């Protein structure tokens, strides 16, 4: 249930921010692929590094992955609650607002 809610958050972000090329999820494992161009899917490695640092500043624990280090992974703890999803969404909105 929480994984579905978090996926909905990422889907909304994907619609609003061109830098997000694709979102993927399986349960509570979520990934955000960052690109400079959605058509060519050119990896946005530098922006990913910057966004990664900003997520930490906003209290989110994420990791970078992928061959080009342009994928942000989020694997929240199993104890995450529904009211935590709104905090995650708010933090991600602030982080992606500059992109």
């Amino acid at each position: 249930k929480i994984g579905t809610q978090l996926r909905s958050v990422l889907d909304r972000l994907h619609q609003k921010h061109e830098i997000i090329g694709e979102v993927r999820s399986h349960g509570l494992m979520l990934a955000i692929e960052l690109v400079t161009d959605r058509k060519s899917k050119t990896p946005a490695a530098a922006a990913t590094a910057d966004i990664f640092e900003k997520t930490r500043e906003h209290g989110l624990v994420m990791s970078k992955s992928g061959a080009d280090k342009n994928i942000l992974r989020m694997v929240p703890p199993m104890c995450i609650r529904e009211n935590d999803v709104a905090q995650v969404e708010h933090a991600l909105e602030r982080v992606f607002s500059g992109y």
Side-chain angles (χ1 to χ4, degrees), residues 3-94:
T4 300
Q5 291 172 348
L6 288 169
R7 173 61 190 251
S8 294
V9 166
L10 298 186
D11 287 338
R12 286 192 294 276
L13 289 168
H14 180 237
Q15 291 175 2
K16 289 175 70 174
H17 303 284
E18 288 293 316
I19 194 166
I20 300 175
E22 185 178 2
V23 296
R24 298 184 284 277
S25 67
H26 185 76
L28 283 177
M29 298 185 305
L30 302 120
I32 307 168
E33 181 180 11
L34 302 180
V35 297
T36 59
D37 177 65
R38 281 189 180 175
K39 268 191 175 172
S40 66
K41 295 215 178 213
T42 304
T48 303
D50 182 50
I51 290 169
F52 172 74
E53 290 302 323
K54 288 180 180 176
T55 60
R56 290 178 4 142
E57 292 169 10
H58 286 86
L60 299 178
V61 177
M62 301 185 93
S63 63
K64 292 182 288 183
S65 67
D68 296 302
K69 299 292 185 202
N70 69 314
I71 298 172
L72 292 175
R73 291 188 321 144
M74 179 171 50
V75 184
M78 295 294 289
C79 62
I80 190 169
R81 299 170 306 201
E82 285 187 57
N83 60 338
D84 296 326
V85 174
Q87 293 174 329
V88 170
E89 182 170 19
H90 184 67
L92 288 174
E93 265 302 335
R94 287 183 291 170

